[in-house]
Amino acid sequence: MGHVIFDALANPEWRVIDDRWIRREISTSVRARAQFDLVDPDLRAMHRLIDRQAVDPAFPALARGLQGAGAEVRIASDGFAFYISRMLAAAGLADLPVDSNRLEVRRGAIVLDFPYEQDGCGHCGMCKALPVRRAKARGHRAVYIGDGYSDRCAVSEADVVFAKDSLEAHCQANDIPYHAFASLSDVQTWVNHQTPIGESCR
């Protein structure tokens, strides 16, 4: 969603900043502040962009089914609750807990906050390994679903991993067992069939 906002409301320099983050030259907080400095802080325009997006169509049923079975479903993001919470509410999932960075528009300025930064890896604003560790400390089996660079710390510690796109390549390169998925309907199929962990692919 951040990329959607930058494409619409910032100049192309945001991609140069993003590449520096991917190369681990700068942290999420440095990257985000530099990128949002390029954005016109038009709250209505950002809301319109967010409202044109949607969560994976299979996600609401998956989340509610897991909750009904007694699982804890949690969103972990190195993005911002500003748009995550709005998209979840539109999908009827406003009650899902979200661990993420924070964004507000105050007096015509974008203000960012990274409340989890000091507890994590130092690269991400919200280190996604943190909720995985907390879940395991409470005695849960941690099933993690991701697709990007900021998911890498988490998949090294999760019990079961679903990966696609650049995260799948990372799992392959680092010999991390995972299930490949294209959409969350694939995860729903795994849940329905209770696929043994030992059948993870590489």
Side-chain angles (χ1 to χ4, degrees), residues 91-108:
L93 298 169
D95 60 313
L96 287 189
V98 177
D99 297 316
S100 69
N101 308 309
R102 297 172 187 166
L103 180 156
E104 294 181 76
V105 178
R106 300 180 194 161
R107 298 180 180 179

Side-chain angles (χ1 to χ4, degrees), residues 141-153:
R141 182 172 64 154
V143 179
Y144 190 87
I145 306 166
D147 65 358
Y149 292 97
S150 64
D151 298 303
R152 294 182 176 190
C153 290

Side-chain angles (χ1 to χ4, degrees), residues 1 12 14 20 32 78 104 113 117 135 154:
M1 188 62 232
W14 76 264
R20 292 190 62 203
D78 201 28
E104 294 181 76
D113 184 35
E117 187 172 35

Side-chain angles (χ1 to χ4, degrees), residues 28-59:
T28 289
S29 58
V30 171
R31 174 191 68 164
R33 288 191 170 103
Q35 289 175 323
F36 276 104
D37 278 348
L38 304 173
V39 172
D40 176 8
D42 184 330
L43 186 59
R44 290 184 180 179
M46 286 192 281
H47 281 167
R48 284 195 296 269
L49 288 169
I50 296 165
D51 292 342
R52 291 175 191 153
Q53 309 301 312
V55 301
D56 185 308
F59 183 50

Side-chain angles (χ1 to χ4, degrees), residues 159-172:
D159 297 305
V160 181
V161 172
F162 286 85
K164 68 175 181 176
D165 299 341
S166 66
L167 184 63
E168 181 176 9
H170 172 76
C171 290
Q172 291 174 343

